[in-house]
Amino acid sequence: MTQFKVTPWDVEGLVDYKKLIEMFGTQPIDQPLLKRIEKHTGELHVFLRRGFAFSHRDMDKVLDDYEKGKGFFLYTGRGPSGNMTLGHLVPFLFTKWLQDKFGVNLYIEITDDEKFLVKDLELNEVQKYAEDNILDIAAVGFDSEKTFIFRDTEYIAHMYEDAIKVGKKINFSNVRAVFGFTNQTNIGMIFYPTLQIVPTLFEKKRCLIPAAIDQDPYWRVQRDIAESLGYHKAAAIHTKFLPSLQGPAGKMSTSDPHTAIYLTDSPEDVRRKIMKYAFSGGQPTVEEHRKKGGNPDVDTSFQWLYILFEEDDQRIEDIRNDYISGKLLTGELKEILIEKLTSFLKEHQKRKCKAERVAKKMKYTGKLAKRMWER
Amino acid sequence: MTQFKVTPWDVEGLVDYKKLIEMFGTQPIDQPLLKRIEKHTGELHVFLRRGFAFSHRDMDKVLDDYEKGKGFFLYTGRGPSGNMTLGHLVPFLFTKWLQDKFGVNLYIEITDDEKFLVKDLELNEVQKYAEDNILDIAAVGFDSEKTFIFRDTEYIAHMYEDAIKVGKKINFSNVRAVFGFTNQTNIGMIFYPTLQIVPTLFEKKRCLIPAAIDQDPYWRVQRDIAESLGYHKAAAIHTKFLPSLQGPAGKMSTSDPHTAIYLTDSPEDVRRKIMKYAFSGGQPTVEEHRKKGGNPDVDTSFQWLYILFEEDDQRIEDIRNDYISGKLLTGELKEILIEKLTSFLKEHQKRKCKAERVAKKMKYTGKLAKRMWER
């Protein structure tokens, strides 16, 4: 029996990623594939080195196409149901690295329609979040001539024809099986998967989607129909979920502000949240910790450093060993995270303040954006 | 047991219109309502005088609003799955009369998305039919400053936000019950009803929809949700189906060119089709006909004259009586129809040749069209 649940709208329980690969029918990212990527990128992103990007579909074919000069393009997205958390930023950080290394076009879909349809929110609320989220995303620093960010409700005229071509090939049984839709699902939501599939058809090249694995059901449907429409099956590279502040189960949720670090959090917010809520793998007392040591595998502070903030392989292993041996106390580990996270957010917030101009390029006036509005 | 079937995509059997009023829960158009309409229009359209427009929803409220100076607007449409037949033109003829008499705005939706989704046609084929159908519709002679004709796939950017607001209020159970959708229905089609409902929300005034009764299920759904979105329940005025050339069962089908008069038919086509296929209520031999007489109620030629081409009440009663008495032979009755129909089509074809300019006004540059593209 599975003790966890992963759908595009819900992640519950302690996710067994090995099992998820079997359940979803994806491929693990293995050493030969990493070597092949490294050949082109010169180095490996920390997500790849440390197994946070752990699964894929057709990444080998993407590299085939790249090596043959056919190229490929990147596509990812964001459902703007609230202000963005650290967890929401994760796929974008990885996507930026892929764009930098391969120099390819990137399409970022802001699914304001989807979030309106599934959440108890008004459309104008979702659209307000969308515009703010776009600034956060633009602040990540994508190539503004090669990146197109669009909101579904604004760009729909350029997607609807493809959406009905996709929709004609998918029936209710299909989406019921893949997404768990029921007779109570609203008909906007039943149609929505077409719009998450359409950007995979933006170019005749192969599309590579870096995203958390919960989005994979969409790509499964896409792969069933893409070739009949004259396009490639989408390739994907899947990341795990960033553990929530309160522990390794589930993904960082926006519904409970206590378990999430928002990109707008102040240094004081960060200190308070980490000190109060960050799940610790350490022992109840200093004496016991010195004797028995801590468990970094379940410790949010360690995991966040490992996944996001301490890219120096030697330094992170030192931290791990010091924590296991009991030399490093939970409070000290938290201080390391607080310093790194505070400085990360400060930089992000600074970039976001100045992101208006690049966001406009990615939305309307950059080379790729312009081409997408003219097509 | 009902011996007939009426859905937006299928009409089968000999329709019992009285029963249909009960089944659909609409109101019959009665004498007091006719009197009330006549007060404003000065005369009654032949469809109203002769019971071809036979049923309604909230037509009394439309007149209330009109009398109070609140006004109303008209909305109808066309699914462009082929070239237009005489039957397809029927609701437009009636709609033109309503616009002329009440001087109101009219919205005409060309549902190219729907027809692509339900028919075995490519999208570009449907769109080609759509553009040709628009010329036929424009040739009817609507007020080009007060009429907006739009194709769904072209106008979608201005409808999608309302469509998802509508879609959020309708679930799969609802559309399964109302439209008979199944697990095999494609998800484009499942979403489509939202787009047929959206034009009823184009103005804050009450919307009056003149259309054949097979479209009523859409208005039933609209009436369940419109007020929760801050709009009026749509009003409707329903016409019967023009009997097909081969007899009174079903509506004129586009699938069999033999049973339909196309708007492009030549005088020779008309003569051949009427002579060969028009269902006759007469007797097998002249002798027998002279003795027993014919039955105008099932005779297509008589019915078409009655519904469409002989507006003179005295003249049509003379024809009826002469046919019943046996004085008028089937061949003579067909000649009357051929003459009327030929001259009707000749006029229509002449107007269609010159319709390009008014079509452009109704689509883009007329007063209402311009406002709709700017909103």
Side-chain angles (χ1 to χ4, degrees):
Chain A
M1 214 186 95
T2 48
Q3 299 291 323
F4 60 96
K5 180 179 160 188
V6 174
T7 77
W9 304 282
D10 208 6
V11 177
E12 282 170 18
L14 188 59
V15 179
D16 179 340
Y17 290 103
K18 213 172 141 190
K19 184 131 192 193
L20 211 53
I21 286 177
E22 279 170 41
M23 285 164 62
F24 281 12
T26 64
Q27 301 296 317
I29 295 180
D30 57 14
Q31 281 307 317
L33 184 62
L34 288 175
K35 281 258 169 327
R36 226 183 133 188
I37 296 172
E38 197 174 12
K39 211 177 67 189
H40 298 292
T41 58
E43 48 163 22
L44 284 178
H45 189 274
V46 64
F47 289 2
L48 289 168
R49 287 206 312 272
R50 297 184 188 166
F52 186 68
F54 73 110
S55 152
H56 76 99
R57 290 184 185 275
D58 284 353
M59 184 62 198
D60 45 339
K61 291 187 182 158
V62 169
L63 294 172
D64 288 346
D65 285 359
Y66 183 72
E67 287 164 9
K68 284 180 199 148
K70 289 187 194 168
F72 67 94
F73 68 100
L74 290 162
Y75 159 43
T76 191
R78 154 86 186 140
S81 57
N83 293 317
M84 279 176 79
T85 65
L86 187 62
H88 296 138
L89 208 60
V90 164
F92 293 104
L93 301 173
F94 187 45
T95 302
K96 174 180 158 49
W97 182 82
L98 288 166
Q99 186 184 44
D100 285 350
K101 293 296 175 185
F102 291 98
V104 294
N105 285 343
L106 163 63
Y107 301 89
I108 300 174
E109 179 175 48
I110 308 296
T111 63
D112 55 356
D113 48 355
E114 178 209 9
K115 289 304 169 187
F116 166 71
L117 287 164
V118 292
K119 299 271 180 180
D120 188 20
L121 290 168
E122 296 296 322
L123 185 56
N124 57 8
E125 294 176 89
V126 176
Q127 290 173 334
K128 230 178 69 186
Y129 285 131
E131 291 302 327
D132 183 69
N133 290 180
I134 286 172
L135 292 180
D136 279 312
I137 294 164
V140 170
F142 300 104
D143 180 338
S144 58
E145 300 295 349
K146 289 186 177 172
T147 300
F148 179 48
I149 303 187
F150 57 99
R151 279 194 293 108
D152 284 345
T153 62
E154 190 179 12
Y155 195 60
I156 186 70
H158 301 260
M159 298 203 285
Y160 186 63
E161 292 197 2
D162 281 340
I164 57 178
K165 286 178 188 172
V166 167
K168 195 173 179 175
K169 295 190 174 283
I170 304 170
N171 67 29
F172 186 67
S173 285
N174 304 143
V175 292
R176 197 178 52 177
V178 175
F179 299 107
F181 289 166
T182 70
N183 289 345
Q184 277 62 57
T185 302
N186 76 59
I187 61 175
M189 203 51 218
I190 293 171
F191 180 64
Y192 169 73
T194 65
L195 287 163
Q196 189 154 331
I197 287 170
V198 164
T200 67
L201 318 177
F202 276 175
E203 298 188 14
K204 284 280 182 177
K205 296 173 185 175
R206 202 177 297 274
C207 172
L208 173 64
I209 305 163
I213 190 147
D214 59 333
Q215 298 299 306
D216 189 71
Y218 289 105
W219 322 138
R220 237 177 299 161
V221 176
Q222 193 272 1
R223 291 168 60 86
D224 282 343
I225 61 169
E227 290 180 347
S228 74
L229 289 165
Y231 293 87
H232 288 290
K233 290 183 178 186
I237 189 158
H238 305 112
T239 55
K240 296 178 180 175
F241 308 112
L242 189 67
S244 87
L245 205 54
Q246 295 183 316
K251 71 173 175 177
M252 191 185 274
S253 166
T254 45
S255 55
D256 178 4
H258 298 310
T259 67
I261 297 288
Y262 285 94
L263 295 178
T264 48
D265 278 354
S266 68
E268 294 71 35
D269 294 330
V270 169
R271 170 165 296 277
R272 184 176 47 77
K273 287 183 186 178
I274 300 292
M275 283 303 180
K276 192 158 175 190
Y277 300 110
F279 187 83
S280 166
Q283 305 300 338
T285 64
V286 173
E287 289 67 35
E288 219 178 320
H289 190 84
R290 293 285 187 219
K291 209 186 300 170
K292 297 184 186 169
N295 178 3
D297 295 343
V298 299
D299 191 291
T300 300
S301 302
F302 180 81
Q303 288 299 319
W304 285 19
L305 286 168
Y306 184 72
I307 296 166
L308 283 172
F309 299 118
E310 186 45 77
E311 296 197 19
D312 183 322
D313 290 340
Q314 186 54 56
R315 177 88 189 102
I316 195 71
E317 286 316 307
D318 289 348
I319 293 174
R320 183 201 295 277
N321 292 332
D322 287 352
Y323 198 53
I324 290 173
S325 74
K327 187 175 159 198
L328 191 69
L329 296 174
T330 292
E332 292 165 337
L333 181 60
K334 286 189 173 186
E335 287 292 351
I336 300 174
L337 175 65
I338 288 168
E339 195 203 316
K340 292 271 187 184
L341 179 51
T342 302
S343 110
F344 175 86
L345 290 181
K346 202 174 137 193
E347 281 307 308
H348 177 81
Q349 289 158 9
K350 213 157 65 183
R351 282 196 306 271
K352 185 179 178 184
C353 278
K354 293 187 269 182
E356 200 82 60
R357 199 184 56 83
V358 283
K360 198 180 157 196
K361 284 184 82 173
M362 294 180 202
K363 283 161 75 181
Y364 307 114
T365 60
K367 200 173 143 197
L368 182 62
K370 232 164 137 175
R371 191 200 307 159
M372 291 306 288
W373 282 103
E374 279 162 9
R375 78 177 198 145
Chain B
M1 212 185 97
T2 49
Q3 299 292 321
F4 60 96
K5 181 180 162 188
V6 174
T7 78
W9 304 281
D10 208 6
V11 177
E12 281 169 19
L14 188 60
V15 178
D16 179 339
Y17 289 104
K18 214 175 140 187
K19 184 131 193 194
L20 211 54
I21 285 177
E22 280 171 39
M23 284 164 61
F24 281 12
T26 65
Q27 301 296 316
I29 296 179
D30 57 13
Q31 282 305 318
L33 183 61
L34 288 176
K35 281 257 170 325
R36 226 183 134 188
I37 295 171
E38 197 174 12
K39 211 177 66 189
H40 298 291
T41 59
E43 49 162 20
L44 285 178
H45 189 273
V46 64
F47 288 2
L48 289 167
R49 288 206 311 273
R50 298 187 186 163
F52 185 68
F54 72 109
S55 152
H56 76 99
R57 291 183 185 274
D58 284 353
M59 184 63 198
D60 45 337
K61 292 188 181 157
V62 169
L63 293 172
D64 288 346
D65 286 359
Y66 183 73
E67 288 164 7
K68 284 181 199 147
K70 289 187 195 169
F72 67 93
F73 68 100
L74 291 163
Y75 159 43
T76 191
R78 153 86 186 141
S81 57
N83 293 316
M84 279 176 79
T85 66
L86 186 64
H88 295 139
L89 207 61
V90 164
F92 293 104
L93 300 173
F94 187 45
T95 302
K96 174 182 158 48
W97 181 83
L98 289 165
Q99 186 184 45
D100 285 351
K101 295 297 175 185
F102 291 98
V104 294
N105 286 343
L106 163 63
Y107 302 89
I108 301 174
E109 178 174 50
I110 308 296
T111 62
D112 55 356
D113 48 354
E114 178 209 9
K115 290 303 169 186
F116 166 71
L117 287 164
V118 292
K119 298 272 179 180
D120 188 19
L121 290 168
E122 295 297 321
L123 184 55
N124 57 9
E125 293 177 89
V126 177
Q127 290 172 333
K128 231 178 70 185
Y129 286 130
E131 291 302 327
D132 183 69
N133 291 179
I134 286 172
L135 293 179
D136 279 312
I137 294 164
V140 171
F142 300 106
D143 181 337
S144 58
E145 301 294 350
K146 287 186 176 170
T147 301
F148 178 48
I149 303 187
F150 57 99
R151 277 194 293 110
D152 284 345
T153 62
E154 189 179 11
Y155 195 61
I156 186 70
H158 301 260
M159 299 204 285
Y160 186 64
E161 291 196 4
D162 281 341
I164 58 177
K165 286 178 188 171
V166 167
K168 194 172 179 176
K169 295 191 173 283
I170 304 170
N171 66 29
F172 186 68
S173 285
N174 304 143
V175 292
R176 197 178 52 176
V178 175
F179 299 107
F181 288 167
T182 69
N183 289 345
Q184 277 62 56
T185 303
N186 76 59
I187 61 175
M189 203 52 218
I190 292 172
F191 180 65
Y192 168 74
T194 65
L195 288 163
Q196 189 154 331
I197 287 170
V198 165
T200 68
L201 318 177
F202 277 175
E203 298 188 13
K204 284 279 182 180
K205 296 174 185 173
R206 202 177 299 272
C207 172
L208 173 63
I209 305 163
I213 189 144
D214 59 333
Q215 298 299 306
D216 189 72
Y218 289 105
W219 323 138
R220 236 176 298 160
V221 176
Q222 193 272 1
R223 290 167 62 86
D224 282 342
I225 61 170
E227 290 179 346
S228 74
L229 289 165
Y231 293 87
H232 287 290
K233 290 183 180 189
I237 187 159
H238 304 112
T239 56
K240 297 179 181 174
F241 308 112
L242 189 67
S244 88
L245 204 54
Q246 295 184 314
K251 71 171 173 178
M252 190 185 275
S253 165
T254 45
S255 54
D256 178 4
H258 298 312
T259 67
I261 297 288
Y262 286 93
L263 296 178
T264 48
D265 278 354
S266 67
E268 295 70 36
D269 294 332
V270 168
R271 171 165 295 278
R272 184 177 47 79
K273 288 184 184 176
I274 301 293
M275 283 303 179
K276 193 161 176 188
Y277 301 110
F279 188 82
S280 167
Q283 305 300 339
T285 65
V286 173
E287 291 66 36
E288 219 179 321
H289 190 84
R290 294 287 187 214
K291 209 185 302 173
K292 298 185 185 168
N295 177 4
D297 295 343
V298 299
D299 190 291
T300 300
S301 302
F302 179 82
Q303 288 299 320
W304 285 20
L305 286 167
Y306 184 73
I307 296 164
L308 284 171
F309 300 117
E310 185 46 75
E311 297 197 17
D312 184 324
D313 291 339
Q314 187 54 56
R315 177 86 189 105
I316 195 71
E317 285 316 306
D318 290 347
I319 293 174
R320 183 201 296 276
N321 293 331
D322 289 351
Y323 198 54
I324 291 172
S325 75
K327 188 176 159 196
L328 190 69
L329 297 174
T330 292
E332 293 166 337
L333 182 60
K334 286 190 174 185
E335 287 293 351
I336 301 173
L337 175 64
I338 288 168
E339 195 203 316
K340 293 270 188 186
L341 178 50
T342 302
S343 109
F344 174 86
L345 290 182
K346 203 175 136 192
E347 281 307 307
H348 177 81
Q349 288 158 10
K350 213 156 66 184
R351 283 197 304 272
K352 186 180 177 183
C353 277
K354 294 186 267 182
E356 199 82 60
R357 199 184 55 83
V358 283
K360 198 180 156 195
K361 284 185 82 173
M362 295 180 203
K363 282 159 76 181
Y364 307 114
T365 59
K367 199 173 142 196
L368 182 61
K370 233 163 134 177
R371 192 201 306 158
M372 291 306 288
W373 281 104
E374 278 161 10
R375 79 179 197 143

